Amino acid sequence: YSEKHLEEIKFIQHCRSLGISLEEIKVLKELTTTPSDCSSANTIINKNLTLIEVKIAELKNLQKQLLSLILVLD
């Protein structure tokens, strides 16, 4: 694989790990090769940024809970 292909694979894997659908990834990838109306991409990006913020908050909450367990178990 070329470096470009590896970058695309990493991008797709990262998007999928964040819950972005293959159809949404396709829209985002098409924008990198063919400039067009960005409103659909902006919608996808904003939706997923919100989901990422929720995941971060959930992970921080889990981190606090695990840290408190350490204190209780010590």
Side-chain angles (χ1 to χ4, degrees):
Y1 294 103
S2 70
E3 189 64 33
K4 179 183 176 190
H5 290 123
L6 293 174
E7 295 272 333
E8 288 180 10
I9 291 169
K10 287 178 187 177
F11 175 76
I12 293 167
Q13 286 176 326
H14 198 188
C15 288
R16 291 297 297 141
S17 74
L18 296 171
I20 300 173
S21 73
L22 290 176
E23 187 59 39
E24 291 173 327
I25 294 169
K26 181 180 175 187
V27 170
L28 295 174
K29 289 294 300 158
E30 285 174 356
L31 284 175
T32 63
T33 57
T34 326
S36 62
D37 177 27
C38 294
S39 63
S40 60
N42 286 336
T43 301
I44 292 168
I45 291 167
N46 287 328
K47 179 189 102 179
N48 286 288
L49 284 174
T50 301
L51 292 174
I52 291 168
E53 289 171 4
V54 168
K55 287 180 184 181
I56 289 170
E58 290 171 350
L59 287 170
K60 285 182 178 183
N61 187 38
L62 177 59
Q63 180 185 35
K64 287 178 187 177
Q65 291 173 341
L66 292 173
L67 287 172
S68 68
L69 274 176
I70 290 173
L71 295 174
V72 171
L73 296 174
D74 280 343

